[in-house]
Amino acid sequence: MKLSAAIITFNEERNLARCLQSLMGVVDEIVVVDSFSKDGTQAIAAQYGATFIEHPFEGHIQQKNYALDQTTGDWILSLDADEALDDKLRASIMAFKSKPTGAGCSMNRLTNYCGHWVRHGGWYPDQKIRLWQNGTAKWSGENPHGRLELKGNQISGHLKGD
């Protein structure tokens, strides 16, 4: 199984290295679709061997769908540039890669607000589908708050980790 990561960016030099570092050894391809950043985003993407594509920004949903179309993997992992996989989630994805099933997996999203991890008030676990078989899902909803729609809701499971 070939796993591609899809990330959209605009002036993300403060966040991107952490995100890309968390993907090392887990994904087989990283595609960064950028909205013509003016900072060091492109150089950071190059340091991690990412395919870097500049594309005009038409909205978060449209940009994320464009990024999906640029991937070549059998499966796709979608992250925002300010997100990173923890060690437990990295291990869960690696185990899943050895025996993929279904069409998509959910995972917990742990939010950091003002420098504090929020594990209460209904903010955690914020479960999102972020790993799916290529061709089985598209981003939809209203910008900037898109949601991934998996064809037939074929969730194959929930991955441990954040």
Side-chain angles (χ1 to χ4, degrees):
M1 155 188 167
K2 180 180 177 183
L3 177 58
S4 297
I7 303 164
I8 65 169
T9 59
F10 179 69
N11 293 336
E12 288 288 352
E13 71 180 6
R14 291 176 54 202
N15 299 311
L16 189 57
R18 180 176 159 264
C19 175
L20 296 177
Q21 181 62 42
S22 79
L23 295 171
M24 294 292 98
V26 176
V27 301
D28 305 294
E29 172 188 55
I30 300 171
V31 174
V32 174
V33 173
D34 185 75
S35 303
F36 302 94
S37 290
K38 305 293 184 217
D39 64 3
T41 297
Q42 184 171 4
I44 293 166
Q47 288 175 350
Y48 289 89
T51 300
F52 188 85
I53 302 166
E54 290 183 314
H55 185 262
F57 186 77
E58 299 168 353
H60 287 91
I61 294 165
Q62 294 84 348
Q63 199 77 335
K64 285 186 175 196
N65 281 329
Y66 181 82
L68 299 184
D69 292 340
Q70 308 314 303
T71 63
T72 63
D74 307 307
W75 286 76
I76 299 171
L77 174 64
S78 177
L79 290 180
D80 292 340
D82 64 348
E83 296 176 328
L85 310 176
D86 71 5
D87 288 341
K88 185 182 268 187
L89 184 53
R90 287 171 48 86
S92 294
I93 292 171
M94 292 303 292
F96 181 82
K97 277 182 74 172
S98 69
K99 195 173 181 182
T101 59
C105 292
S106 63
M107 53 193 68
N108 295 339
R109 184 170 64 171
L110 176 60
T111 301
N112 187 300
Y113 181 75
C114 295
H116 300 282
W117 295 108
V118 183
R119 297 180 190 272
H120 57 276
W123 282 39
Y124 183 81
D126 183 15
Q127 295 184 357
K128 302 288 183 193
I129 301 169
R130 290 296 186 88
L131 177 67
W132 66 92
Q133 192 171 21
N134 200 347
T136 64
K138 286 288 184 190
W139 289 96
S140 66
E142 287 190 36
N143 282 312
H145 303 290
R147 69 180 175 282
L148 191 72
E149 287 192 12
L150 194 60
K151 293 177 186 173
N153 284 331
Q154 301 171 6
I155 304 279
S156 57
H158 180 78
L159 300 175
K160 294 181 180 179
D162 298 320

